[in-house]
Amino acid sequence: MARKKIALIGAGQIGGTLAHLAALKDLGDVVLFDIVDGVPQGKALDLSQSGPVEGFDARVTGTSEYKDIEGADVVIVTAGVPRKPGMSRDDLLEINLKVMEQVGAGIAKYAPEAFVICITNPLDAMVWALQKFSGLPANKVVGMAGVLDSARFQHFIADELKVSVEDVTAFVLGGHGDTMVPLARYSTVAGIPLTDIVKMGWMSKERLEQIIQRTRDGGAEIVGLLKTGSAFYAPATSAIAMAESYLKDKKRVLPAAAFLNGEYGVSNTYVGVPIVIGAGGAEKIVEITLNSAEQKAFDKSVGAVEGLVEACKKIAPKLA
Ligand code: A3D
């Protein structure tokens, strides 16, 4: 069986980490693409030289030409600019939208059969634009945010209760922004919903609220500490989990920005919901029932994403 091919568009902080993880997990050969000549080639050479030590055979190459991504099974997009302290994800919209147009054209030409995972911010609007610019089917283009937001929530809960992260599941819905909706009712410790954990007195309601807010601000907290860029280890790991589920047809149920066509009462918009990822891409959108407070928070989040999509249409009228 031929080795799978993973193309990484953007060879910055997340791109380099993605390449390392993909090689360590032997997911396939890796092509790192970037417009800055030398960076993808240099990182690819460095990573290749870790192969003999780690014992991976994946070929890691760097390029600035789209033709080298030809036939990729998976494309992960991080091209664009990240946040600096004081910036919101939405401040990146105009510049990253232009990047999505170039990337979409490159994917359409050389990797139209690929499963595409977008990470570039503002995530929900950029994945929407990337799907439109590339013309790929909507079930083959998804955005990574929910796995990361849920992992942040899981980490904070496990840390607070002093339990293993392995026993904590977390559930975050909605757009990847300040309006994201961490759902306590659907997040559990060994199957016990966090709402019951509060009732049992294991954690106070106030503490849970603080953790939920810290999850929402999780990206900004790291931007504030790093000062020169945004988080990259956990975002890369999260996208690799999605790529692996596709490549191995694992059919994992993961939160991701998916194209909604009536589900959750939303149309023609990408927003974070649980989906099944298998060989067919986004194979199923899982529609959970929301209580009125959750629905209100979800609607607010969808409204924020729709506002960004409208801004994209104004900047690039061909998306309208
Ligand atoms: P960074 O290290 O700056 O890497 C971005 C790379 O994109 C750089 O190497 C650029 O040279 C390259 N690039 C710029 N324009 C183009 C282009 N037209 N074609 C190809 N490559 C280009 O950033 P990063 O890796 O830290 O972050 C990448 C993106 O991910 C940013 O938009 C972040 O905001 C976003 N991000 C999203 C999440 C989510 O959870 C959704 C988390 C963290 C970061």
mmCIF file of all heavy atoms in Angstrom, residues 9-15 33-36 66 78-83 92 96 99 102-103 119-121 123 144-145 148 176 230-231 235, ligand 1:
data_model
loop_
_atom_site.group_PDB
_atom_site.id
_atom_site.type_symbol
_atom_site.label_atom_id
_atom_site.label_comp_id
_atom_site.label_asym_id
_atom_site.label_seq_id
_atom_site.Cartn_x
_atom_site.Cartn_y
_atom_site.Cartn_z
ATOM 1 N N ILE A 9 0.129 23.434 4.609
ATOM 2 C CA ILE A 9 0.249 24.751 3.973
ATOM 3 C C ILE A 9 0.476 25.773 5.077
ATOM 4 O O ILE A 9 -0.430 26.079 5.854
ATOM 5 C CB ILE A 9 -1.017 25.113 3.158
ATOM 6 C CG1 ILE A 9 -1.429 23.942 2.256
ATOM 7 C CG2 ILE A 9 -0.778 26.382 2.356
ATOM 8 C CD1 ILE A 9 -0.442 23.584 1.188
ATOM 9 N N GLY A 10 1.698 26.283 5.135
ATOM 10 C CA GLY A 10 2.132 27.124 6.247
ATOM 11 C C GLY A 10 3.132 26.306 7.055
ATOM 12 O O GLY A 10 2.789 25.237 7.579
ATOM 13 N N ALA A 11 4.354 26.781 7.085
ATOM 14 C CA ALA A 11 5.407 26.034 7.795
ATOM 15 C C ALA A 11 5.920 26.836 8.978
ATOM 16 O O ALA A 11 7.112 26.869 9.272
ATOM 17 C CB ALA A 11 6.551 25.689 6.827
ATOM 18 N N GLY A 12 4.992 27.517 9.641
ATOM 19 C CA GLY A 12 5.364 28.313 10.814
ATOM 20 C C GLY A 12 5.384 27.452 12.064
ATOM 21 O O GLY A 12 5.778 26.279 12.025
ATOM 22 N N GLN A 13 4.932 28.068 13.169
ATOM 23 C CA GLN A 13 4.980 27.364 14.462
ATOM 24 C C GLN A 13 4.098 26.113 14.464
ATOM 25 O O GLN A 13 4.532 25.039 14.882
ATOM 26 C CB GLN A 13 4.493 28.310 15.570
ATOM 27 C CG GLN A 13 5.338 29.541 15.770
ATOM 28 C CD GLN A 13 6.548 29.248 16.629
ATOM 29 O OE1 GLN A 13 7.351 28.369 16.332
ATOM 30 N NE2 GLN A 13 6.685 29.976 17.710
ATOM 31 N N ILE A 14 2.854 26.268 14.007
ATOM 32 C CA ILE A 14 1.969 25.096 14.006
ATOM 33 C C ILE A 14 2.398 24.131 12.898
ATOM 34 O O ILE A 14 2.459 22.915 13.111
ATOM 35 C CB ILE A 14 0.478 25.490 13.827
ATOM 36 C CG1 ILE A 14 0.049 26.457 14.930
ATOM 37 C CG2 ILE A 14 -0.416 24.246 13.851
ATOM 38 C CD1 ILE A 14 -1.402 26.921 14.828
ATOM 39 N N GLY A 15 2.722 24.669 11.723
ATOM 40 C CA GLY A 15 3.102 23.808 10.592
ATOM 41 C C GLY A 15 4.272 22.900 10.935
ATOM 42 O O GLY A 15 4.254 21.692 10.655
ATOM 43 N N PHE A 33 4.761 23.343 3.005
ATOM 44 C CA PHE A 33 4.720 24.425 2.013
ATOM 45 C C PHE A 33 4.699 25.763 2.720
ATOM 46 O O PHE A 33 3.985 25.952 3.692
ATOM 47 C CB PHE A 33 3.456 24.275 1.152
ATOM 48 C CG PHE A 33 3.224 25.414 0.193
ATOM 49 C CD1 PHE A 33 3.553 25.277 -1.143
ATOM 50 C CD2 PHE A 33 2.682 26.625 0.624
ATOM 51 C CE1 PHE A 33 3.343 26.331 -2.044
ATOM 52 C CE2 PHE A 33 2.487 27.683 -0.268
ATOM 53 C CZ PHE A 33 2.810 27.528 -1.598
ATOM 54 N N ASP A 34 5.488 26.708 2.209
ATOM 55 C CA ASP A 34 5.404 28.073 2.733
ATOM 56 C C ASP A 34 5.881 29.032 1.650
ATOM 57 O O ASP A 34 6.647 28.638 0.765
ATOM 58 C CB ASP A 34 6.262 28.248 4.003
ATOM 59 C CG ASP A 34 5.743 29.362 4.909
ATOM 60 O OD1 ASP A 34 5.877 30.554 4.517
ATOM 61 O OD2 ASP A 34 5.219 29.057 5.997
ATOM 62 N N ILE A 35 5.425 30.291 1.727
ATOM 63 C CA ILE A 35 5.872 31.265 0.728
ATOM 64 C C ILE A 35 7.244 31.828 1.072
ATOM 65 O O ILE A 35 7.889 32.446 0.234
ATOM 66 C CB ILE A 35 4.869 32.440 0.559
ATOM 67 C CG1 ILE A 35 4.434 32.972 1.921
ATOM 68 C CG2 ILE A 35 3.667 32.016 -0.263
ATOM 69 C CD1 ILE A 35 3.742 34.309 1.875
ATOM 70 N N VAL A 36 7.670 31.669 2.315
ATOM 71 C CA VAL A 36 8.993 32.178 2.694
ATOM 72 C C VAL A 36 10.027 31.135 2.279
ATOM 73 O O VAL A 36 10.119 30.073 2.883
ATOM 74 C CB VAL A 36 9.077 32.437 4.220
ATOM 75 C CG1 VAL A 36 10.446 32.986 4.582
ATOM 76 C CG2 VAL A 36 7.988 33.402 4.660
ATOM 77 N N TYR A 66 3.186 24.933 -5.251
ATOM 78 C CA TYR A 66 1.981 24.147 -4.995
ATOM 79 C C TYR A 66 1.990 22.787 -5.680
ATOM 80 O O TYR A 66 1.389 21.837 -5.187
ATOM 81 C CB TYR A 66 0.717 24.938 -5.387
ATOM 82 C CG TYR A 66 0.214 25.802 -4.251
ATOM 83 C CD1 TYR A 66 0.381 27.185 -4.270
ATOM 84 C CD2 TYR A 66 -0.408 25.228 -3.150
ATOM 85 C CE1 TYR A 66 -0.063 27.969 -3.218
ATOM 86 C CE2 TYR A 66 -0.855 26.004 -2.099
ATOM 87 C CZ TYR A 66 -0.682 27.378 -2.134
ATOM 88 O OH TYR A 66 -1.123 28.134 -1.080
ATOM 89 N N THR A 78 -2.383 26.233 7.821
ATOM 90 C CA THR A 78 -2.088 27.202 8.897
ATOM 91 C C THR A 78 -1.529 28.489 8.304
ATOM 92 O O THR A 78 -1.065 29.362 9.034
ATOM 93 C CB THR A 78 -1.039 26.643 9.896
ATOM 94 O OG1 THR A 78 0.163 26.366 9.165
ATOM 95 C CG2 THR A 78 -1.521 25.389 10.576
ATOM 96 N N ALA A 79 -1.561 28.606 6.989
ATOM 97 C CA ALA A 79 -0.995 29.784 6.330
ATOM 98 C C ALA A 79 -1.716 31.039 6.778
ATOM 99 O O ALA A 79 -2.929 31.045 6.936
ATOM 100 C CB ALA A 79 -1.111 29.628 4.812
ATOM 101 N N GLY A 80 -0.941 32.093 6.973
ATOM 102 C CA GLY A 80 -1.530 33.358 7.380
ATOM 103 C C GLY A 80 -0.747 33.952 8.523
ATOM 104 O O GLY A 80 0.413 33.596 8.734
ATOM 105 N N VAL A 81 -1.382 34.870 9.228
ATOM 106 C CA VAL A 81 -0.692 35.466 10.373
ATOM 107 C C VAL A 81 -1.428 35.113 11.666
ATOM 108 O O VAL A 81 -2.650 34.992 11.673
ATOM 109 C CB VAL A 81 -0.568 37.011 10.241
ATOM 110 C CG1 VAL A 81 0.357 37.377 9.104
ATOM 111 C CG2 VAL A 81 -1.925 37.665 10.063
ATOM 112 N N PRO A 82 -0.671 34.946 12.756
ATOM 113 C CA PRO A 82 -1.314 34.701 14.057
ATOM 114 C C PRO A 82 -1.519 36.014 14.812
ATOM 115 O O PRO A 82 -1.102 37.074 14.347
ATOM 116 C CB PRO A 82 -0.290 33.818 14.776
ATOM 117 C CG PRO A 82 1.033 34.252 14.235
ATOM 118 C CD PRO A 82 0.798 34.818 12.850
ATOM 119 N N ARG A 83 -2.146 35.907 15.994
ATOM 120 C CA ARG A 83 -2.422 37.096 16.812
ATOM 121 C C ARG A 83 -1.186 37.580 17.550
ATOM 122 O O ARG A 83 -0.285 36.813 17.843
ATOM 123 C CB ARG A 83 -3.457 36.744 17.878
ATOM 124 C CG ARG A 83 -4.817 36.662 17.361
ATOM 125 C CD ARG A 83 -5.799 36.653 18.506
ATOM 126 N NE ARG A 83 -5.921 35.378 19.173
ATOM 127 C CZ ARG A 83 -6.617 35.209 20.295
ATOM 128 N NH1 ARG A 83 -7.201 36.228 20.880
ATOM 129 N NH2 ARG A 83 -6.719 34.002 20.833
ATOM 130 N N LEU A 92 -7.591 39.491 12.268
ATOM 131 C CA LEU A 92 -6.770 38.846 11.237
ATOM 132 C C LEU A 92 -7.538 38.632 9.944
ATOM 133 O O LEU A 92 -6.971 38.183 8.946
ATOM 134 C CB LEU A 92 -6.289 37.464 11.745
ATOM 135 C CG LEU A 92 -5.586 37.426 13.104
ATOM 136 C CD1 LEU A 92 -5.359 35.981 13.526
ATOM 137 C CD2 LEU A 92 -4.254 38.149 13.026
ATOM 138 N N ASN A 96 -5.830 37.340 6.289
ATOM 139 C CA ASN A 96 -5.886 35.882 6.127
ATOM 140 C C ASN A 96 -6.897 35.443 5.064
ATOM 141 O O ASN A 96 -6.746 34.369 4.477
ATOM 142 C CB ASN A 96 -6.165 35.211 7.481
ATOM 143 C CG ASN A 96 -4.922 35.223 8.368
ATOM 144 O OD1 ASN A 96 -3.827 35.556 7.906
ATOM 145 N ND2 ASN A 96 -5.077 34.865 9.632
ATOM 146 N N VAL A 99 -5.020 35.180 1.941
ATOM 147 C CA VAL A 99 -4.213 33.953 1.971
ATOM 148 C C VAL A 99 -5.086 32.743 1.624
ATOM 149 O O VAL A 99 -4.683 31.867 0.853
ATOM 150 C CB VAL A 99 -3.541 33.791 3.359
ATOM 151 C CG1 VAL A 99 -2.805 32.465 3.456
ATOM 152 C CG2 VAL A 99 -2.592 34.953 3.644
ATOM 153 N N GLN A 102 -5.503 32.215 -2.136
ATOM 154 C CA GLN A 102 -4.357 31.550 -2.792
ATOM 155 C C GLN A 102 -4.312 30.069 -2.444
ATOM 156 O O GLN A 102 -4.107 29.215 -3.300
ATOM 157 C CB GLN A 102 -3.032 32.185 -2.322
ATOM 158 C CG GLN A 102 -2.829 33.616 -2.719
ATOM 159 C CD GLN A 102 -1.679 34.266 -1.934
ATOM 160 O OE1 GLN A 102 -0.870 33.596 -1.299
ATOM 161 N NE2 GLN A 102 -1.626 35.580 -1.976
ATOM 162 N N VAL A 103 -4.509 29.780 -1.167
ATOM 163 C CA VAL A 103 -4.426 28.384 -0.717
ATOM 164 C C VAL A 103 -5.542 27.551 -1.351
ATOM 165 O O VAL A 103 -5.306 26.433 -1.824
ATOM 166 C CB VAL A 103 -4.496 28.313 0.830
ATOM 167 C CG1 VAL A 103 -4.521 26.870 1.308
ATOM 168 C CG2 VAL A 103 -3.327 29.062 1.465
ATOM 169 N N ILE A 119 -6.837 25.648 10.029
ATOM 170 C CA ILE A 119 -6.556 26.108 11.404
ATOM 171 C C ILE A 119 -6.451 27.635 11.445
ATOM 172 O O ILE A 119 -6.578 28.254 12.495
ATOM 173 C CB ILE A 119 -5.246 25.476 11.946
ATOM 174 C CG1 ILE A 119 -5.271 23.940 11.827
ATOM 175 C CG2 ILE A 119 -5.015 25.872 13.396
ATOM 176 C CD1 ILE A 119 -4.046 23.243 12.423
ATOM 177 N N THR A 120 -6.233 28.245 10.302
ATOM 178 C CA THR A 120 -6.029 29.697 10.236
ATOM 179 C C THR A 120 -7.227 30.451 10.835
ATOM 180 O O THR A 120 -8.377 30.111 10.576
ATOM 181 C CB THR A 120 -5.817 30.120 8.764
ATOM 182 O OG1 THR A 120 -4.697 29.407 8.249
ATOM 183 C CG2 THR A 120 -5.577 31.613 8.629
ATOM 184 N N ASN A 121 -6.929 31.481 11.600
ATOM 185 C CA ASN A 121 -7.956 32.305 12.252
ATOM 186 C C ASN A 121 -8.350 33.527 11.426
ATOM 187 O O ASN A 121 -7.537 33.966 10.603
ATOM 188 C CB ASN A 121 -7.420 32.795 13.608
ATOM 189 C CG ASN A 121 -7.744 31.836 14.725
ATOM 190 O OD1 ASN A 121 -8.822 31.258 14.777
ATOM 191 N ND2 ASN A 121 -6.792 31.677 15.641
ATOM 192 N N LEU A 123 -11.133 31.324 12.706
ATOM 193 C CA LEU A 123 -11.282 29.966 12.174
ATOM 194 C C LEU A 123 -12.565 29.713 11.397
ATOM 195 O O LEU A 123 -12.518 29.255 10.253
ATOM 196 C CB LEU A 123 -11.158 28.990 13.356
ATOM 197 C CG LEU A 123 -11.040 27.503 13.086
ATOM 198 C CD1 LEU A 123 -12.355 26.790 13.053
ATOM 199 C CD2 LEU A 123 -10.221 27.207 11.843
ATOM 200 N N MET A 144 -10.354 23.110 12.497
ATOM 201 C CA MET A 144 -9.929 22.634 13.813
ATOM 202 C C MET A 144 -10.066 23.756 14.827
ATOM 203 O O MET A 144 -9.474 24.805 14.655
ATOM 204 C CB MET A 144 -8.458 22.172 13.769
ATOM 205 C CG MET A 144 -7.964 21.497 15.031
ATOM 206 S SD MET A 144 -7.953 22.466 16.569
ATOM 207 C CE MET A 144 -6.721 23.705 16.184
ATOM 208 N N ALA A 145 -10.842 23.528 15.849
ATOM 209 C CA ALA A 145 -10.921 24.452 16.988
ATOM 210 C C ALA A 145 -11.501 23.713 18.181
ATOM 211 O O ALA A 145 -10.974 23.784 19.279
ATOM 212 C CB ALA A 145 -11.779 25.674 16.665
ATOM 213 N N LEU A 148 -9.250 21.472 20.274
ATOM 214 C CA LEU A 148 -8.359 22.281 21.111
ATOM 215 C C LEU A 148 -9.123 22.918 22.277
ATOM 216 O O LEU A 148 -8.680 22.848 23.429
ATOM 217 C CB LEU A 148 -7.714 23.377 20.253
ATOM 218 C CG LEU A 148 -6.919 24.437 21.000
ATOM 219 C CD1 LEU A 148 -5.685 23.824 21.661
ATOM 220 C CD2 LEU A 148 -6.500 25.555 20.054
ATOM 221 N N HIS A 176 -15.107 29.514 17.264
ATOM 222 C CA HIS A 176 -13.841 29.565 17.993
ATOM 223 C C HIS A 176 -13.540 31.033 18.289
ATOM 224 O O HIS A 176 -12.795 31.681 17.587
ATOM 225 C CB HIS A 176 -12.739 28.951 17.121
ATOM 226 C CG HIS A 176 -11.397 28.944 17.788
ATOM 227 N ND1 HIS A 176 -11.145 28.280 18.958
ATOM 228 C CD2 HIS A 176 -10.219 29.504 17.428
ATOM 229 C CE1 HIS A 176 -9.877 28.436 19.283
ATOM 230 N NE2 HIS A 176 -9.298 29.178 18.380
ATOM 231 N N SER A 230 1.009 32.841 18.820
ATOM 232 C CA SER A 230 -0.051 32.174 19.578
ATOM 233 C C SER A 230 0.302 30.711 19.814
ATOM 234 O O SER A 230 1.359 30.230 19.379
ATOM 235 C CB SER A 230 -1.394 32.353 18.869
ATOM 236 O OG SER A 230 -1.333 31.973 17.528
ATOM 237 N N ALA A 231 -0.597 30.015 20.489
ATOM 238 C CA ALA A 231 -0.363 28.614 20.866
ATOM 239 C C ALA A 231 -0.070 27.768 19.635
ATOM 240 O O ALA A 231 -0.628 28.024 18.555
ATOM 241 C CB ALA A 231 -1.608 28.079 21.567
ATOM 242 N N PRO A 235 -2.682 23.171 19.448
ATOM 243 C CA PRO A 235 -3.414 23.242 18.175
ATOM 244 C C PRO A 235 -2.942 22.180 17.175
ATOM 245 O O PRO A 235 -3.748 21.552 16.487
ATOM 246 C CB PRO A 235 -3.097 24.655 17.661
ATOM 247 C CG PRO A 235 -2.828 25.454 18.900
ATOM 248 C CD PRO A 235 -2.150 24.499 19.844
HETATM 249 P P1 A3D B 1 3.081 31.381 12.050
HETATM 250 O O1 A3D B 1 4.144 30.752 12.863
HETATM 251 O O2 A3D B 1 3.178 32.836 11.737
HETATM 252 O O3 A3D B 1 2.958 30.564 10.687
HETATM 253 C C1 A3D B 1 2.162 30.966 9.631
HETATM 254 C C2 A3D B 1 2.939 30.677 8.370
HETATM 255 O O4 A3D B 1 2.102 30.973 7.248
HETATM 256 C C3 A3D B 1 4.219 31.514 8.213
HETATM 257 O O5 A3D B 1 5.346 30.671 8.097
HETATM 258 C C4 A3D B 1 3.968 32.317 6.944
HETATM 259 O O6 A3D B 1 5.137 32.505 6.149
HETATM 260 C C5 A3D B 1 2.959 31.430 6.223
HETATM 261 N N1 A3D B 1 2.196 32.125 5.199
HETATM 262 C C6 A3D B 1 1.753 33.408 5.194
HETATM 263 N N2 A3D B 1 1.102 33.661 4.047
HETATM 264 C C7 A3D B 1 1.124 32.523 3.319
HETATM 265 C C8 A3D B 1 0.617 32.150 2.047
HETATM 266 N N3 A3D B 1 -0.043 33.025 1.286
HETATM 267 N N4 A3D B 1 0.823 30.877 1.627
HETATM 268 C C9 A3D B 1 1.496 29.985 2.380
HETATM 269 N N5 A3D B 1 2.009 30.278 3.583
HETATM 270 C C10 A3D B 1 1.819 31.544 4.050
HETATM 271 O O7 A3D B 1 1.645 31.161 12.736
HETATM 272 P P2 A3D B 1 1.137 29.867 13.550
HETATM 273 O O8 A3D B 1 1.619 28.637 12.878
HETATM 274 O O9 A3D B 1 1.410 30.078 14.991
HETATM 275 O O10 A3D B 1 -0.445 30.055 13.357
HETATM 276 C C11 A3D B 1 -1.018 29.876 12.084
HETATM 277 C C12 A3D B 1 -2.495 30.276 12.104
HETATM 278 O O11 A3D B 1 -3.217 29.420 12.989
HETATM 279 C C13 A3D B 1 -2.784 31.701 12.570
HETATM 280 O O12 A3D B 1 -3.794 32.276 11.760
HETATM 281 C C14 A3D B 1 -3.307 31.500 13.988
HETATM 282 O O13 A3D B 1 -4.156 32.539 14.404
HETATM 283 C C15 A3D B 1 -4.054 30.211 13.822
HETATM 284 N N6 A3D B 1 -4.330 29.477 15.057
HETATM 285 C C16 A3D B 1 -5.550 28.880 15.153
HETATM 286 C C17 A3D B 1 -5.874 28.160 16.287
HETATM 287 C C18 A3D B 1 -7.213 27.510 16.378
HETATM 288 O O14 A3D B 1 -7.505 26.862 17.356
HETATM 289 C C19 A3D B 1 -8.162 27.648 15.295
HETATM 290 C C20 A3D B 1 -4.959 28.039 17.340
HETATM 291 C C21 A3D B 1 -3.727 28.663 17.212
HETATM 292 C C22 A3D B 1 -3.413 29.384 16.057
#
